[in-house]
């Protein structure tokens, strides 16, 4: 695989003539109007031969230099201003930002960005294996029926998409009365190109096939909003609709006929374990989805020193391909106040409820007609989205003196999931409660030197875990009779109960951050920082999860002029984590 | 002029609970809570004509910023005094030319500097800035915005991400990790995800979990028939948005990330033959004694491709269609 080959050669040649050139600036000015413009001409190139996918993630491999053209225009008169910036490299890489302030009442913004995003190409080189069931009389391996093969049907393909993101925003401040604003936004985000689709088929042997698929996705989002200020009360409403449209045909994969991988016989033995065989079916199909949301917000300014805000949000999301609908209702109440000249405080509480459609799955019986088979595998998918959440926060800021600042933060996040179990021993354990306290001290040690320290402790009761996700109980005696049958040594996949609980989230965490910055005037600074985190989850039933992160760093910044910026830094990051690795023994 | 603490207390008592009024009255009485943040005593000075300011500060006369035209914003009653709307009455400074005789938000305590801006911007989306993490860290409006600068790009002192990472050095380091969002390439900005003026939760931030990520990655929005519950829970369980050494912004490489919650595949312990083989379907491959480990303990998503969720059932009945392989 290319990504595991290592970075043998990293040769990126970026000819930044743009930054080295002297832009030609022209301006025209009279007493009441001005027009300034800058044109920059340069070139850009990147040679990426042998560079791994992730390093070259946003670069296009070029044989020659592309032009790099930049145009900036800025004009204004007494009542209007416009600002235009654009950069062009090729038909894929184009940036354009424009804004217009027409008088005091109309603001228009437009931006367009397009760039290339390289996608991974897995050559599947690690997928080759045949089981060894013994040794023949000559000492050679005797192969069994279990095999793993793969094929990449398009090994020379280079995968990537052109991402195009266009945003428009219109804001109109109604001139009659005060503080009434109308807002309209539109966004069009598209991805076009090709990607690799992998499909796994285990009818006769386990076979992974890689193929090329078209990417043609478009997301459109429109927002309409209205807000007004009535004395000390600000009221706002927003309606937003987001439409994701996958316009590409789904890739298809051939699922072979089920049969014994060596003899080719006994099809029913294998077919009875599968939902489908001997068919060509769609794979990796991204469904269309539509999201509508309504938001109402009211803010009341009490006495100029404290504000109370309330908001309500209703969101309806729909998977339009499957017809699944989900509803979100959220209400927030927040308060903030300046209690004294040097003391500020805030608190908020949000309640959020999500309800997603359940889904009935009508599946064939397990190994119908086979010894020990015939069990009904129909089930109802109850969504992990279904939940009730409370998010609370409180903050107290004490500016002890100019330049010295102490902050205390508290955060609560309570999540009660309807269908996700968090404790294998307790069927009612569905609620996670996370409490976080943080103290931050900020100090201007000298006129140009600032220091900042923060310490955080987080305790989580029943964090999100994979219950019975790991470690099968050993021994055939754990397998119980099915449907009143006799105890059996038949080992069925669905009987292999896992007894361990695995997690990558801690129950206790201590996180420390420190930062020291010294400025040499406005154009140079040095900064040293260190982050550390020590996290532990000792509520798991088989092992203690631990993770530690230590990341010190140093950086320096020098700006001789606005055109030249030198920045350098060294960052060291050490992350250590442990978890239990359970490897099961294949049966059957 | 801002209301005095006593006035605020009276207003609070009328509008809010009594305990609030008591706090507002008592806290300023405690010396530690009542330091004078504003060294400039505005009561000793008087307002002068703006022309007096521009006699010395002529460089601002031709300024293109909207703030130069404050006096024209007749609807905002508090800022009808031009330069002095933010700098306070200038008579003492005009007489003495002493920088200490006028309020300068650039060097003033952040509380004072922000208050000048929030006279007008309190009704904007930035109105809650005083309670934001930035304000709590003594970052003032003028730390990022050049109030006298040309009316371009929200008056930012420099463009993103340079402005943000001048303080957030650890995030700058993350951007140089092999997998990262295209921020340093200029294709995204920090404010696409972060609200630097943010404070208390807004209606927009209270949507479904991960809505911020889904605002661009809408293809993962589903909701799917077959779910992967950590995807619903929090994208950052698996992804590090600022940058990662692992592909696709994963916090760890596969399979170690997956093995935090799942056990290893049950085929991974079976020994393999040494040599070539060909399946009945005609596919050839080379096996080694440890080939099953290489095959089943390298990258789980080679088979479980639809890790963010799918509507299509996986092939095996034992997995009840939910193995996310299709």
């Amino acid at each position: 695989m290319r990504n595991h080959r290592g970075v043998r050669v990293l040769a990126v040649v970026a000819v930044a003539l743009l930054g080295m050139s002297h832009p030609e600036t022209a301006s025209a000015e009279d007493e009441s109007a001005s027009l300034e413009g800058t044109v920059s001409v340069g070139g850009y190139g990147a040679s990426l031969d042998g560079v791994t996918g992730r390093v070259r993630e946003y670069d296009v491999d070029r044989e020659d230099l592309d032009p790099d053209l930049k145009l900036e225009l800025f004009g204004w008169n007494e009542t209007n201003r416009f600002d235009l910036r654009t950069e062009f490299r090729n038909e894929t890489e184009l940036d354009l930002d424009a804004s217009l302030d027409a008088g005091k009442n109309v603001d228009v913004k437009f931006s367009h960005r397009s760039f290339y995003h390289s996608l991974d190409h897995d050559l599947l080189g690690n997928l080759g294996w045949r089981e060894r069931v013994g040794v023949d009389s000559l000492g050679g391996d005797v192969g069994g029926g279990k095999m793993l093969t793969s094929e990449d049907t398009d090994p020379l393909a280079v995968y990537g998409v052109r991402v195009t993101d266009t945003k428009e925003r219109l804001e109109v401040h109604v001139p009659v009365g005060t503080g009434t604003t109308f807002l309209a936004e539109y966004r069009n985000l598209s991805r076009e190109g090709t990607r690799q689709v992998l499909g796994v088929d285990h009818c006769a042997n386990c076979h992974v096939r890689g193929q090329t698929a078209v990417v043609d996705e478009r997301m459109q989002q429109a927002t309409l909003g209205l807000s007004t200020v009535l004395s000390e009360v600000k009221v706002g409403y927003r309606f937003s609709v987001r439409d994701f449209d996958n316009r590409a045909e789904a890739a298809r994969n051939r699922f072979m006929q089920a049969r014994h991988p060596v003899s080719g016989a006994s099809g029913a033995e294998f077919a009875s374990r599968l939902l489908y065989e001997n068919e060509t079916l769609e794979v990796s199909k991204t469904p269309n989805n539509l999201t509508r949301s309504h938001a109402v917000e009211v803010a009341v300014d009490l006495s100029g020193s404290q504000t109370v805000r309330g908001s309500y949000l209703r969101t309806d999301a729909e998977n339009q391909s499957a017809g699944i609908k989900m509803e979100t209702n959220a209400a927030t109440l927040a308060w903030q106040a300046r209690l004294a000249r040097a003391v500020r405080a805030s608190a908020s509480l949000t309640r959020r409820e999500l309800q997603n459609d359940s889904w009935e799955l009508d599946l064939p019986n397990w190994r119908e007609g086979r010894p020990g088979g015939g069990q009904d595998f129909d089930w109802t998918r109850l969504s992990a989205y279904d939940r009730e959440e409370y998010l609370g926060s409180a903050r107290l800021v004490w500016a002890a003196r100019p330049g010295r600042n102490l902050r205390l933060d508290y955060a609560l996040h309570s999540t009660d999931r309807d269908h996700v179990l968090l404790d294998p021993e307790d069927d009612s354990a569905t609620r996670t409660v996370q409490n976080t306290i943080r103290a931050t001290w900020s100090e201007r040690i000298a006129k140009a030197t600032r220091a900042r320290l923060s310490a955080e402790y987080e305790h989580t009761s029943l964090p999100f875990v994979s219950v019975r996700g790991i470690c099968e109980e050993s021994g055939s005696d754990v397998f119980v009779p099915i449907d009143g049958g006799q105890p059996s040594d038949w080992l069925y996949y669905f009987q292999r109960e896992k007894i361990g609980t695995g997690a990558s989230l801690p129950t206790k965490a201590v996180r420390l951050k420190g930062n020291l910055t010294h400025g040499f005037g406005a154009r140079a600074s040095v900064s040293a920082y260190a982050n550390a985190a020590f996290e532990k989850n000792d509520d798991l039933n088989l092992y203690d999860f631990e993770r530690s992160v230590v990341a010190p760093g140093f950086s320096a910044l020098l700006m001789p002029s606005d055109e030249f910026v030198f920045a350098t830094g060294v960052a060291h990051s050490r992350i250590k984590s442990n978890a239990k690795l359970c490897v099961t023994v294949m049966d059957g | 002029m801002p209301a005095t603490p006593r006035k605020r207390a009276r207003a609070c008592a009328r509008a809010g609970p009594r305990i609030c009024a008591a706090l507002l009255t008592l806290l300023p009485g405690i010396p530690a809570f009542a330091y004078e943040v504003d060294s400039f005593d505005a009561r000793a000075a008087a307002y002068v004509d703006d022309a007096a300011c521009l006699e010395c500060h002529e460089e601002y006369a031709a300024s293109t910023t909207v703030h130069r035209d404050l006096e024209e914003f007749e609807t905002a009653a508090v800022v009808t005094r031009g330069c002095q709307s933010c700098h306070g009455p200038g008579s003492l400074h005009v007489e003495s030319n002493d920088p200490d005789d006028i309020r300068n938000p650039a060097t003033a305590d952040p509380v004072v500097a922000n208050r000048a801006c929030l006279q007008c911007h309190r009704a904007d989306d930035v109105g809650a800035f005083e309670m934001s993490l930035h304000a709590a860290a003594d970052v003032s409006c003028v730390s990022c915005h050049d109030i006298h600068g040309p009316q371009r790009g929200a008056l930012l002192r420099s463009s993103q991400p340079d402005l943000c990472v001048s303080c957030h050095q650890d995030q700058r380091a993350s951007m140089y990790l092999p997998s990262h969002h295209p921020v340093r390439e200029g294709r995204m900005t920090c404010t696409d995800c972060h609200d630097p003026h943010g404070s208390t939760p807004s209606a927009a931030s209270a949507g479904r979990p991960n809505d911020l990520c889904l605002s661009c990655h809408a293809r993962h929005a589903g909701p799917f028939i077959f779910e992967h519950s950590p995807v619903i829970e929090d994208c950052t369980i698996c992804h590090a948005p600022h940058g990662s050494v692992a592909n696709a912004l994963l916090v760890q490489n596969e399979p170690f990330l997956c093995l935090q919650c799942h056990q290893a595949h049950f085929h991974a312990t079976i020994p393999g033959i040494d040599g070539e083989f060909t399946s009945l379907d005609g596919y050839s491959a080379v096996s080694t004694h440890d080939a099953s480990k290489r095959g089943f303990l390298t990258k789980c998503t080679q088979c479980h491709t639809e890790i963010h969720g799918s509507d299509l059932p996986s092939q095996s009945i034992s997995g009840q269609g939910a193995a996310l392989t299709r």
Side-chain angles (χ1 to χ4, degrees):
Chain A
M1 262 168 60
R2 181 160 44 176
N3 280 350
H4 292 262
R5 201 167 56 183
V7 183
R8 289 184 306 169
V9 179
L10 174 60
V12 177
V13 181
V15 183
L17 295 179
L18 183 65
M20 300 165 65
S21 67
H22 296 282
E24 294 301 322
T25 303
S27 66
E29 201 169 335
D30 61 31
E31 287 183 352
S32 59
S34 171
L35 178 66
E36 297 174 6
T38 303
V39 179
S40 303
V41 180
Y44 183 89
S47 172
L48 300 163
D49 185 30
V51 176
T52 58
R54 48 191 168 176
V55 171
R56 46 164 287 188
E57 197 169 355
Y58 302 106
D59 266 316
V60 181
D61 193 6
R62 298 176 175 83
E63 295 288 328
D64 304 308
L65 286 180
D66 272 346
D68 195 325
L69 309 174
K70 212 171 181 181
L71 170 67
E72 296 186 11
L73 277 179
F74 175 50
W76 63 279
N77 61 22
E78 284 181 346
T79 54
N80 306 304
R81 290 172 176 82
F82 80 90
D83 191 357
L84 173 74
R85 301 166 191 228
T86 181
E87 183 174 4
F88 172 84
R89 284 182 187 166
N90 53 50
E91 67 281 3
T92 300
E93 294 171 286
L94 170 67
D95 286 356
L96 192 152
D97 286 284
S99 66
L100 170 69
D101 295 342
K104 300 167 190 169
N105 301 314
V106 179
D107 294 337
V108 182
K109 286 189 171 61
F110 174 86
S111 75
H112 174 90
R113 285 189 171 77
S114 65
F115 62 92
Y116 179 76
H117 185 199
S118 175
L119 301 179
D120 199 23
H121 185 170
D122 191 338
L123 299 176
L124 308 173
N126 62 315
L127 300 178
W129 164 73
R130 182 178 183 183
E131 73 167 332
R132 182 174 67 92
V133 294
V135 181
D136 61 23
S137 57
L138 300 175
D141 293 333
V142 176
K146 298 177 185 61
M147 299 179 201
L148 171 63
T149 56
S150 66
E151 63 174 323
D152 181 8
T153 60
D154 203 354
L156 299 179
V158 176
Y159 296 118
V161 290
R162 180 193 188 207
V163 180
T164 307
D165 191 2
T166 304
K167 297 175 185 172
E168 295 156 31
R169 178 186 170 98
L170 168 68
E171 206 171 302
V172 178
H173 306 284
V174 178
V176 179
T178 58
T180 300
T181 301
F182 169 79
L183 170 74
E185 289 179 328
Y186 173 74
R187 183 184 186 192
N188 186 334
L189 175 64
S190 65
R191 294 170 76 240
E192 296 168 304
T194 57
R195 64 177 176 133
Q196 184 182 37
V197 168
L198 303 180
V200 59
D201 165 27
H202 39 84
C203 288
N205 65 81
C206 186
H207 182 68
V208 179
R209 179 181 292 113
Q211 58 178 308
T212 298
V214 171
V215 178
D216 187 3
E217 300 170 352
R218 186 171 70 169
M219 185 200 81
Q220 297 181 89
Q221 181 163 2
T223 301
L224 290 175
L226 184 67
S227 67
T228 188
V229 178
L230 306 167
S231 183
E232 303 300 325
V233 180
K234 182 184 177 185
V235 182
Y237 166 77
R238 280 192 187 200
F239 169 71
S240 179
V241 57
R242 184 177 73 206
D243 179 25
F244 174 81
D245 185 17
N246 177 20
R247 300 182 290 191
E249 279 194 26
R252 301 174 76 81
N253 194 37
R254 175 71 186 167
F255 294 88
M256 295 170 288
Q257 186 170 10
R259 52 183 174 162
H260 190 280
V262 178
S263 69
S266 302
E269 168 64 26
F270 297 92
S272 65
R273 304 177 188 206
L274 303 172
L275 287 173
Y276 40 83
E277 55 157 337
N278 203 22
E279 290 181 81
T280 298
L281 299 170
E282 291 180 332
V283 292
S284 191
K285 183 180 182 183
T286 305
N288 296 340
N289 62 68
L290 181 69
T291 302
R292 296 187 189 90
S293 68
H294 303 265
V296 179
E297 196 159 33
V298 179
V300 183
D301 195 358
L302 300 174
S303 73
S305 64
Q306 60 175 327
T307 305
V308 175
R309 292 173 174 229
S311 64
Y312 169 74
L313 175 75
R314 160 71 183 252
T315 301
D316 295 283
E318 181 181 1
N319 174 336
Q320 294 179 298
S321 303
I324 301 174
K325 294 180 179 176
M326 186 171 74
E327 182 182 310
T328 304
N329 286 283
T332 298
L333 188 63
W335 165 84
Q336 64 181 58
R338 194 186 311 136
L339 298 178
R341 275 185 178 272
V343 181
R344 288 164 281 162
S346 70
S348 71
L349 182 66
T350 296
R351 180 185 181 276
R352 178 165 67 187
E353 186 176 345
L354 284 84
Q355 286 298 321
N356 189 14
D357 286 350
S358 58
W359 191 266
E360 302 291 334
L361 284 143
D362 183 14
L363 303 179
N365 287 349
W366 166 249
R367 302 189 74 228
E368 184 64 56
R370 308 301 300 174
Q375 290 76 39
D376 182 4
F377 263 51
D378 291 351
W379 63 298
T380 303
R381 194 279 279 135
L382 301 172
S383 176
Y385 272 114
D386 296 350
R387 62 184 55 203
E388 180 188 53
E389 286 183 274
Y390 288 91
L391 298 100
S393 71
R395 176 176 299 158
L396 186 69
V397 182
W398 175 31
R401 66 171 176 77
R404 177 181 295 169
N405 198 309
L406 179 67
R407 189 175 89 229
L408 297 174
D409 285 286
Y410 166 74
L412 163 75
H413 190 176
S414 166
T415 307
D416 192 4
R417 304 167 187 83
D418 291 359
H419 314 298
V420 179
L421 191 63
L422 300 171
D423 183 348
E425 311 302 329
D426 180 2
D427 288 346
S428 64
T430 57
R431 183 187 289 273
T432 297
V433 179
Q434 185 176 72
N435 290 282
T436 308
I437 54 172
R438 184 189 306 121
T440 306
W441 171 73
S442 176
E443 178 90 31
R444 191 184 298 151
I445 297 173
K447 189 175 180 183
T449 307
R450 294 195 67 92
R452 190 162 170 243
L453 290 172
S454 75
E456 174 184 300
Y457 176 73
E458 180 183 279
H459 180 269
T460 309
S461 153
L462 293 177
F464 173 78
V465 295
S466 173
V467 168
R468 299 192 185 104
I470 58 171
C471 298
E472 291 171 10
E473 199 164 359
S474 60
S476 61
D477 57 336
V478 303
F479 298 99
V480 297
I482 304 165
D483 297 339
Q486 296 299 311
S488 167
D489 284 340
W490 280 95
L491 304 179
Y492 297 122
Y493 301 111
F494 58 88
Q495 286 183 284
R496 296 147 59 117
E497 186 179 28
K498 298 166 187 131
I499 58 172
T501 297
S504 60
L505 297 175
T507 51
K508 303 179 188 73
V510 175
R511 302 184 181 103
L512 306 170
K513 285 187 175 182
N515 190 315
L516 182 66
T517 301
H518 181 75
F520 301 93
R523 297 206 171 267
S525 68
V526 292
S527 180
Y529 64 89
N531 299 338
F534 307 96
E535 302 173 341
K536 187 172 186 176
N537 185 340
D538 52 9
D539 286 351
L540 305 174
N541 59 352
L542 292 183
Y543 69 100
D544 290 346
F545 165 80
E546 289 182 46
R547 179 166 53 202
S548 60
V549 180
V550 178
F554 169 82
S555 68
L557 183 73
L558 178 63
M559 296 174 62
S561 73
D562 289 343
E563 286 76 30
F564 291 93
V565 178
F566 299 103
T568 183
V570 177
H572 172 79
S573 182
R574 176 180 171 80
I575 300 174
K576 183 182 177 183
S577 66
N578 72 317
K580 193 175 189 74
L581 172 61
C582 294
V583 182
T584 56
V585 177
M586 174 58 189
D587 62 84
Chain B
M1 289 287 294
T4 64
R6 195 173 298 278
K7 283 181 181 173
R8 287 203 306 274
R10 282 202 296 268
C12 176
R14 286 195 301 272
R18 289 185 175 183
I19 190 167
C20 167
L23 283 172
L24 292 177
T25 305
L26 294 173
L27 283 177
I30 303 171
F33 292 159
Y35 78 84
E36 184 58 58
V37 291
D38 195 355
S39 58
F40 170 64
D41 185 0
R43 289 169 299 185
Y47 288 99
V48 297
D49 192 286
D50 248 12
C53 310
L54 299 176
E55 278 182 22
C56 296
H57 301 282
E58 67 273 7
E59 69 271 26
Y60 298 129
S63 169
T64 58
T65 173
V66 66
H67 290 116
R68 176 66 189 86
D69 303 326
L70 280 179
E71 69 273 19
E72 293 180 15
F73 280 70
E74 67 281 354
T75 55
V78 294
V79 292
T80 54
R81 300 183 186 278
C83 309
Q84 297 159 97
S85 304
C86 300
H87 291 280
S91 62
L92 291 177
H93 177 63
V94 168
E95 290 167 15
S96 67
N97 288 330
D98 186 343
D100 290 337
D101 282 342
I102 196 163
R103 182 181 297 129
N104 183 358
T107 56
D109 188 86
V111 175
V112 175
N114 297 339
R115 196 179 298 158
C117 305
L118 291 172
Q119 291 178 104
C120 293
H121 294 285
R122 190 173 294 283
D124 299 351
D125 290 339
V126 303
F129 177 73
E130 279 181 304
M131 291 314 304
S132 69
L133 281 172
H134 269 146
D138 265 2
V139 175
S140 71
C141 307
V142 295
S143 302
C144 300
H145 299 279
D146 182 2
I147 305 307
H148 300 111
Q151 179 69 6
R152 306 186 69 176
L155 300 176
L156 291 180
R157 291 191 175 276
S158 62
S159 58
Q160 295 188 58
D162 294 343
L163 178 66
C164 307
V165 301
S166 63
C167 290
H168 299 280
Q169 304 282 354
D170 47 346
Q171 308 307 353
R172 170 159 40 196
S174 296
M175 280 186 230
Y176 281 87
L177 292 173
S179 181
H180 57 270
H181 273 115
V183 178
R184 67 178 169 86
E185 285 81 1
R187 311 308 185 193
M188 274 182 74
T189 61
C190 304
T191 51
D192 286 343
C193 299
H194 298 279
D195 180 0
H197 310 109
S199 175
T200 51
S202 65
S205 66
R208 65 188 272 190
N210 305 313
D211 208 27
L212 176 64
C213 307
L214 296 174
S215 66
C216 290
H217 301 281
R219 61 188 176 283
H220 301 314
F224 297 102
I225 295 174
F226 301 103
E227 299 173 337
H228 187 205
S229 50
V231 174
I232 291 163
E233 203 66 28
D234 187 350
C235 299
T236 60
I237 290 177
C238 297
H239 296 284
H242 289 113
S244 170
V245 292
N247 208 357
L249 293 169
L250 293 177
V251 296
Q252 278 183 295
N253 267 310
E254 295 182 62
F256 308 108
L257 175 64
C258 312
L259 291 173
Q260 297 276 11
C261 294
H262 300 279
Q263 62 184 7
H265 199 281
F266 53 70
H267 283 104
T269 53
I270 307 175
I273 64 168
D274 274 314
E276 283 189 38
F277 67 95
T278 302
S279 73
L280 277 181
D281 300 301
Y283 299 110
S284 297
V286 177
S287 175
T288 65
H289 182 75
D290 291 326
S292 65
K293 295 183 180 62
R294 204 174 55 148
F296 295 103
L297 281 176
T298 296
K299 194 177 177 192
C300 307
T301 53
Q302 285 177 318
C303 294
H304 302 279
T305 52
E306 306 310 304
I307 206 65
H308 293 104
S310 175
D311 292 343
L312 305 176
S314 302
Q315 195 178 17
S316 167
I317 295 176
S318 63
Q320 297 186 293
L324 301 175
T325 61
R326 190 183 147 210

